[in-house]
Amino acid sequence: MSLHFHTHSLTLFLSVWREESYRFSSLSMAGTIQTMILTPRSTQTPSFRHQHLNFMATRTPACSTRSVLFIRNRSISFPLRIRANQGPGQIDDNGSGGAKTLGKSLLNFADNNFLPLALIGGVVLGLANPALGCLADKYYLSKFSTIAIFITSGLTLRNGEIGDAIEAWPVGILGICSILLFTPFLSKIILQIQLQPQEFVTGLAIFCCMPTTLSSGVALTQLAGGNSALALAMTVISNLLGILIVPFSISKFIAAGIGVSVPTKELFRSLVITLLIPLILGKVFRESLKGLADYVDRNRKLFSKMNAIFLSLAPFIQVSRSRSMLLMVKPSVFLVAVGMGVILHLVLLSFNVFAIQGFSMVSGTNQLAFAKKKNATAYVLVASQKTLPVMVAVVEQLGGAFGESGLLVLPCVAAHLNQIIMDSFFVNFWLRKDLASKSAKAA
């Protein structure tokens, strides 16, 4: 009996010892499997794992098999969680994907706001490095940029657009009258403002008597999808007629009857060289060179960006020339002058918007020309801007009759920049609004 009991106890002990040995072996192998799964040699892991797990499944009893299966599931699922949540490759992919998305968003923003960014960049560069802008002015880079803008305008001018400009002649006449006859009356209101130095006020009053901008109105009209031929016609005609009308406007509204000498011949020759001849040359190149018209039409967005770059040279050079004088003026006074320029441009915009809307309702047979959006866009943009180069040329010929020339020009530089930057944001707003409406219609 005692021998049988000891034999039974020994058998039970050996059985328990064998099961615990198998369990320990299983734990060791599971740890080995887990370690090999996490090693770079992942291609060899499946065969090793399946061989040892199958071997253990055939050598253990039922309870041990369940233990091994439990451990096997744990060893497989654990490294998979590590790979899903902490894998360095996946984290790098997500990081690079985020960087690519951010870069794409920035590029899209720069593409959609290219003109205002170029203009602001010109202002910042002129303030940061005026020597470079003065060097560009020394070699007449501003004149070359104006010539390049009008050559580009001639290259992009389609024959159909010339027909559109002829059809929109009532809008063109209204624009020229607004530029040269109506808006100069605002100079009488501006002269009522008291500000020291008084040259700031006088300069803005002279600015009201000027024709439209030489290039920015045309460039903005092209970007906005307006009637660019109409914008070109209003720009060229108003500047050529302005040579004759500006002296009369300054004498009547500002000098109060005092005779003012304006270099009519020099201004006329300068405008013909920088505006009319480049425009004709660009159009001749388009019609005479084979394949050029198709290339320009396929890359109109590129040429618009080129015009924006040429246009940004004007604020760059003007700010560089005026930086030293700008630092001599009290910031509060200059900010008041800048605010006056902003208000002046908003008044011009409002006046021309109401004018085109009013004429579209009462013009009778010409109602269609005034109601066309392309014509209205060209009219509002071109008729609401005033040119700085002609104003500078006029002030230089006045010989200090109205005060210090630099102080007369300085607020007009700010007004010139403000009107271009403000209108560029308006154009971007209109373009996005049109795109949204087109998308809504397509949906």
Side-chain angles (χ1 to χ4, degrees):
M1 181 67 180
S2 177
L3 180 61
H4 176 71
F5 173 80
H6 287 293
T7 303
H8 179 71
S9 300
L10 181 60
T11 303
L12 181 61
F13 173 81
L14 290 176
S15 176
V16 171
W17 176 81
R18 185 178 59 182
E19 288 184 12
E20 291 299 323
S21 299
Y22 283 144
R23 184 174 301 176
F24 177 80
S25 177
S26 300
L27 287 170
S28 300
M29 290 181 180
T32 304
I33 293 169
Q34 178 179 342
T35 303
M36 296 190 67
I37 291 175
L38 292 174
T39 56
R41 298 179 181 179
S42 58
T43 55
Q44 297 178 0
T45 302
S47 59
F48 177 85
R49 180 179 61 189
H50 287 295
Q51 289 176 3
H52 283 74
L53 287 176
N54 292 335
F55 171 77
M56 291 301 301
T58 55
R59 292 289 305 274
T60 57
C63 61
S64 299
T65 303
R66 286 192 300 269
S67 176
V68 172
L69 289 175
F70 172 78
I71 296 169
R72 181 181 61 181
N73 292 334
R74 184 179 62 182
S75 64
I76 294 173
S77 60
F78 182 70
L80 286 176
R81 286 197 299 268
I82 291 178
R83 289 179 182 177
N85 296 331
Q86 300 179 1
Q90 188 166 351
I91 292 175
D92 291 341
D93 291 342
N94 293 335
S96 62
K100 290 179 180 178
T101 303
L102 178 61
K104 188 176 180 180
S105 300
L106 291 176
L107 289 176
N108 289 335
F109 177 80
D111 184 65
N112 294 330
N113 301 275
F114 189 82
L115 179 58
L117 290 177
L119 294 173
I120 294 173
V123 173
V124 172
L125 184 60
L127 291 173
N129 191 0
L132 188 60
C134 293
L135 182 64
D137 181 61
K138 180 181 178 181
Y139 290 99
Y140 306 102
L141 191 60
S142 59
K143 282 191 175 182
F144 288 127
S145 65
T146 302
I147 292 172
I149 286 174
F150 277 87
I151 290 178
T152 306
S153 299
L155 288 174
T156 57
L157 184 60
R158 300 188 181 103
N159 293 331
E161 293 175 343
I162 298 177
D164 294 340
I166 295 174
E167 291 178 0
W169 66 267
V171 183
I173 292 177
L174 176 62
I176 294 170
C177 291
S178 174
I179 294 167
L180 297 177
L181 300 179
F182 300 153
T183 56
F185 280 93
L186 292 174
S187 60
K188 297 291 289 184
I189 301 174
I190 293 176
L191 287 174
Q192 304 304 316
I193 301 173
Q194 299 297 320
L195 185 67
Q196 293 298 329
Q198 189 63 26
E199 285 90 341
F200 279 5
V201 177
T202 306
L204 287 174
I206 297 174
F207 192 61
C208 288
C209 300
M210 294 298 111
T212 187
T213 50
L214 300 178
S215 54
S216 59
V218 176
L220 288 166
T221 301
Q222 291 176 343
L223 287 173
N227 191 337
S228 57
L230 177 61
L232 284 167
M234 287 191 293
T235 299
V236 174
I237 295 174
S238 67
N239 278 276
L240 294 177
L241 290 178
I243 297 172
L244 305 174
I245 298 176
V246 164
F248 169 78
S249 299
I250 294 176
S251 177
K252 180 176 178 59
F253 297 111
I254 300 173
I258 300 176
V260 177
S261 175
V262 177
T264 304
K265 291 183 180 179
E266 289 79 2
L267 281 176
F268 188 84
R269 187 187 310 115
S270 175
L271 292 174
V272 168
I273 292 174
T274 57
L275 273 71
L276 192 59
I277 293 178
L279 179 64
I280 295 174
L281 282 177
K283 182 60 179 174
V284 169
F285 290 154
R286 177 183 174 90
E287 300 299 331
S288 59
L289 297 179
K290 185 179 180 181
L292 180 60
D294 294 336
Y295 175 79
V296 172
D297 291 340
R298 289 194 306 267
N299 298 275
R300 293 183 77 88
K301 193 172 184 180
L302 172 63
F303 282 88
S304 296
K305 289 183 177 180
M306 289 171 56
N307 268 357
I309 294 174
F310 293 140
L311 185 60
S312 66
L313 294 176
F316 167 57
I317 293 173
Q318 293 297 334
V319 169
S320 299
R321 290 178 56 185
S322 307
R323 181 178 180 272
S324 58
M325 189 169 294
L326 177 62
L327 297 177
M328 297 171 58
V329 179
K330 291 182 179 179
S332 59
V333 176
F334 183 71
L335 287 177
V336 171
V338 170
M340 291 171 56
V342 171
I343 295 173
L344 172 63
H345 185 58
L346 291 176
V347 170
L348 292 176
L349 282 172
S350 302
F351 172 79
N352 288 305
V353 168
F354 285 121
I356 193 69
Q357 289 180 348
F359 273 89
S360 65
M361 292 186 292
V362 301
S363 58
T365 57
N366 296 321
Q367 181 178 2
L368 182 61
F370 288 101
K372 282 187 176 180
K373 185 177 180 180
K374 295 177 66 174
N375 297 341
T377 300
Y379 167 80
V380 170
L381 289 174
V382 174
S384 302
Q385 294 188 359
K386 297 295 182 178
T387 182
L388 181 65
V390 176
M391 188 268 180
V392 172
V394 170
V395 168
E396 288 177 352
Q397 297 298 322
L398 293 177
F402 295 113
E404 177 63 35
S405 298
L407 294 177
L408 290 171
V409 172
L410 190 58
C412 301
V413 173
H416 179 77
L417 298 180
N418 287 335
Q419 66 185 4
I420 298 174
I421 293 174
M422 289 168 63
D423 287 350
S424 65
F425 279 107
F426 289 146
V427 168
N428 282 330
F429 174 75
W430 295 339
L431 290 175
R432 291 183 180 181
K433 187 176 179 181
D434 290 343
L435 183 61
S437 62
K438 290 179 181 179
S439 300
K441 290 180 180 179

